[in-house]
Amino acid sequence: KNANKNTERVIDLSIKTNEAINNNTLAVHALTTIAQNTNEASRQKLNDIHEDVKEIKFSISNKRRPSFSEHLREAEYE
């Protein structure tokens, strides 16, 4: 009788352990998916910022600067 009870307990414990492992595996998978999605969104946001910075740099570098004589003329009217 004791052997049967112990066997049943070991089987029950094995079933519960497998359920816990499966639940943990599903939770880790869900967290991994969330982390991957968050990482991809962050990477895309950084790319967008990088593109904006490149556009700003290009805009600044191509902006026409007044010549020295134009600068002096502007100063006369101030």
Side-chain angles (χ1 to χ4, degrees):
K1 288 183 179 181
N2 283 341
N4 283 340
K5 280 187 178 181
N6 287 340
T7 302
E8 287 176 15
R9 288 180 181 164
V10 168
I11 291 171
D12 189 43
L13 180 63
S14 295
I15 291 170
K16 289 182 180 179
T17 301
N18 285 336
E19 288 174 357
I21 290 171
N22 287 338
N23 289 339
N24 286 342
T25 301
L26 291 173
V28 168
H29 178 69
L31 287 174
T32 301
T33 301
I34 290 169
Q36 288 172 339
N37 291 341
T38 302
N39 189 26
E40 182 59 35
S42 296
R43 189 175 301 138
Q44 182 60 45
K45 193 66 168 171
L46 284 173
N47 286 341
D48 292 345
I49 292 169
H50 182 69
E51 289 299 317
D52 290 346
V53 169
K54 285 188 345 188
E55 287 178 22
I56 291 168
K57 282 182 165 181
F58 180 79
S59 175
I60 290 171
S61 67
N62 288 332
K63 186 176 182 182
R64 185 182 162 300
R65 296 185 183 132
S67 68
F68 186 70
S69 61
E70 289 174 328
H71 180 69
L72 287 177
R73 272 187 263 137
E74 289 175 7
E76 289 176 3
Y77 295 110
E78 292 178 4

